[in-house]
Amino acid sequence: MQAAEVKADQNAAFAPRIFSGIQPSGGLTLGNYLGALKRFVEKQNEGIETIYCIVDLHAITVWQDPEKLRHATREAAAAFIAAGIDPVRSVLFNQSQVSAHAELGWIFNCVARLGWMNRMTQFKDKAGKNSENASLGLYAYPSLMAADILLYHATMVPVGEDQKQHVELTRDIAAKFNHDYKVDFFPVPEPVIEGAATRVMSLRDGTKKMSKSDPSDQSRINLTDSADAIAQKIRKARTDPEPLPDNIDGLKDRPEARNLVNIYAALSGETAEAVIAQFAGQGFGAFKPALADLAVAKLEPITTEMTRLMADPAEIDRILGDGARRADEIAQPILARTLDIMGMIRSR
Ligand code: AQP
C-alpha cells in the first residue's frame, strides 16, 4: 500500500488533536526549535488540543548512556516549557511512563509490512553501511511512532521535513488496521509541515540536516549554547564568496546561503523573500552579524529559562509525571478498544 489515500471527510468523526514528539538523544538544536518546538507552541496557542512527548523509547534505538538520557529527557522538558509550552494547556510527558505506547507499537509491528519498512530512508541513513549491526528497534522505529500518534487518535502531526515519510507510514498503518478489521477506528493523520525552516541544514555542510547527534558541535546551534558560542558558530558557518542575490531564485545552487537566509526568516517571522529584499547585494560579512544578533535575541531568553528550570529537576519530574497520568487517561481506552477489536480477551 502507498501513502494512504483518504476521503476528504475521513477524519470528520475525530476531534482535532495534535501529537508530536522529540527524542532525548542529545541536547536540542536550532533545527529542533524551528522545525518542531516553535511550531508546537504556535499550535498550542491556536487553541487546538496538543499532546507533546519526549520519546525516550525512540532514543534507545541507538545506545544511550543512562545518566545522559535522564539529563537529556529533563533538558528536553525544560526546552519545551522555556519555548512556551504550558504543561497545563498541553499534555507534556516522556513516552516510557505510558506503557500503552510499547503495547500498541507491538500491535503495529504486526500490521506494518516489511516492504513498507524497507523503504524508510531514515533507517538507511542512521544504520549506514553496517545495517546488520543496527538494533531491531531502529528498524521498527516508524511503527512505534505510528503508535505514539494513533494512541491518542491524533489528527495532525507537526514535524520537520525529515519525518514526513514516517507520518505517511502512520497513515498506511491506520488505513490497513481499519481495513483489516472493517472499522473506522483510527483517524488517518495529516503531517503538518509549514514555515520557513522545515529542514534546517548543518552549518558545516548545507546538504546535510542539522542534527543533535552530528559528531561536529560546530555543525549545529544547541539550545544550551551561550551567546558567544552562537555568534562564533554563525561567524564560522560555511558559505560561499558571493554576495546575497536580489531574488530567491539566486539561492538555488547555494545551499549554505539558502540555509542561513531560511534560518533568518524563521527566527524573524518573515518570508525568505523579505529577507533577501533586505540584504540583497550584501556579503556575509554584513549578513552573518545580523543573523547572529537575531539568533542570540531569540534564543538567549529560552536558554536562560532552561537553566532556571534545570535547577529543580524534581519539579520537572513532577510535571512529566502529571503529563503522563493525563496521557494515560486518553490512551488506555483507545488501547483497550484496539485489543477488543482484534479479539483479545480482557477479563481482569
Ligand atoms: N534540522 C532540522 N530542521 C527542521 N526540523 C528538524 N527536526 C529535527 N531536525 C531538524 C524536527 O525535530 C523534531 C524532533 O526530531 P527528533 O528528535 O525526533 O529526531 P530527528 O528528526 O532524528 O532529529 P535529530 O536532531 O537529527 O536527532 P538525531 O540526531 O538523534 O537523529 C521532528 O519533528 C523533526 O522533524
Side-chain angles (χ1 to χ4, degrees):
M1 198 183 310
Q2 286 302 318
E5 304 227 340
V6 192
K7 287 176 265 147
D9 62 349
Q10 173 94 30
N11 291 333
F14 298 91
R17 184 180 277 162
I18 281 183
F19 177 95
S20 199
I22 291 190
Q23 296 187 77
S25 46
L28 302 193
T29 70
L30 179 67
N32 296 128
Y33 175 65
L34 293 176
L37 275 185
K38 185 169 181 287
R39 298 171 49 233
F40 295 174
V41 174
E42 287 161 9
K43 294 294 167 201
Q44 168 194 270
N45 295 345
E46 282 168 22
I48 306 170
E49 188 180 359
T50 41
I51 302 176
Y52 295 126
C53 186
I54 300 161
V55 289
D56 47 10
L57 295 175
H58 282 274
I60 59 159
T61 55
V62 296
W63 189 81
Q64 302 292 331
D65 176 272
E67 269 318 306
K68 286 188 183 155
L69 180 64
R70 228 183 309 276
H71 179 82
T73 303
R74 290 187 181 125
E75 198 175 79
F80 270 89
I81 298 166
I85 293 299
D86 172 354
V88 174
R89 283 160 72 198
S90 293
V91 176
L92 175 65
F93 68 107
N94 61 309
Q95 188 184 23
S96 60
Q97 292 210 65
V98 179
S99 58
H101 286 254
E103 293 174 67
L104 191 61
W106 175 257
I107 290 167
F108 287 166
N109 282 345
C110 303
V111 175
R113 305 289 94 183
L114 279 181
W116 303 355
M117 306 304 265
N118 286 340
R119 284 196 288 275
M120 295 296 113
T121 55
Q122 181 174 288
F123 175 77
K124 290 178 196 161
D125 291 345
K126 290 200 171 177
K129 291 196 177 70
N130 198 8
S131 64
E132 290 286 306
N133 201 33
S135 73
L136 186 54
L138 189 65
Y139 189 71
Y141 181 116
S143 74
L144 180 59
M145 180 165 157
D148 300 339
I149 297 164
L150 295 173
L151 191 53
Y152 301 96
H153 277 182
T155 55
M156 287 169 282
V157 190
V159 282
E161 189 65 46
D162 61 316
Q163 292 295 332
K164 184 169 181 227
Q165 194 184 35
H166 289 167
V167 182
E168 281 168 356
L169 187 104
T170 300
R171 292 164 60 81
D172 286 341
I173 289 177
K176 181 163 167 55
F177 183 97
N178 288 344
H179 176 266
D180 288 356
Y181 293 98
K182 301 183 177 53
V183 289
D184 281 321
F185 183 61
F186 286 116
V188 179
E190 299 285 343
V192 183
I193 300 172
E194 56 194 12
T198 55
R199 191 170 171 80
V200 177
M201 308 310 278
S202 158
L203 299 179
R204 307 304 306 159
D205 177 352
T207 63
K208 250 175 74 183
K209 190 184 79 144
M210 182 180 288
S211 192
K212 58 175 107 69
S213 60
D214 191 312
S216 163
D217 190 58
Q218 291 293 318
S219 69
R220 62 175 166 267
I221 291 171
N222 305 300
L223 293 188
T224 50
D225 279 345
S226 66
D228 283 350
I230 294 173
Q232 182 263 3
K233 286 178 179 178
I234 291 176
R235 212 168 41 242
K236 289 200 166 164
R238 184 167 155 188
T239 43
D240 55 48
E242 303 299 317
L244 284 167
D246 58 9
N247 69 73
I248 203 85
D249 293 338
L251 292 175
K252 207 162 144 269
D253 297 315
R254 300 175 62 186
E256 283 85 14
R258 194 175 56 218
N259 188 37
L260 295 186
V261 168
N262 284 344
I263 291 174
Y264 192 106
L267 284 170
S268 66
E270 297 166 272
T271 60
E273 285 81 356
V275 176
I276 284 290
Q278 195 183 335
F279 290 96
Q282 298 192 42
F284 287 100
F287 183 69
K288 281 180 170 178
L291 177 58
D293 286 349
L294 177 64
V296 169
K298 296 289 177 182
L299 298 181
E300 208 173 28
I302 297 175
T303 311
T304 306
E305 180 62 1
M306 281 172 70
T307 309
R308 191 188 69 77
L309 291 163
M310 284 298 280
D312 190 355
E315 175 60 8
I316 295 182
D317 293 0
R318 188 198 64 73
I319 290 169
L320 291 174
D322 185 54
R325 268 185 295 280
R326 289 164 60 206
D328 206 47
E329 272 172 27
I330 304 171
Q332 281 304 334
I334 293 177
L335 177 65
R337 180 73 189 123
T338 307
L339 294 165
D340 183 46
I341 288 170
M342 299 177 79
M344 312 258 184
I345 293 170
R346 316 257 303 156
S347 56
R348 68 181 177 102

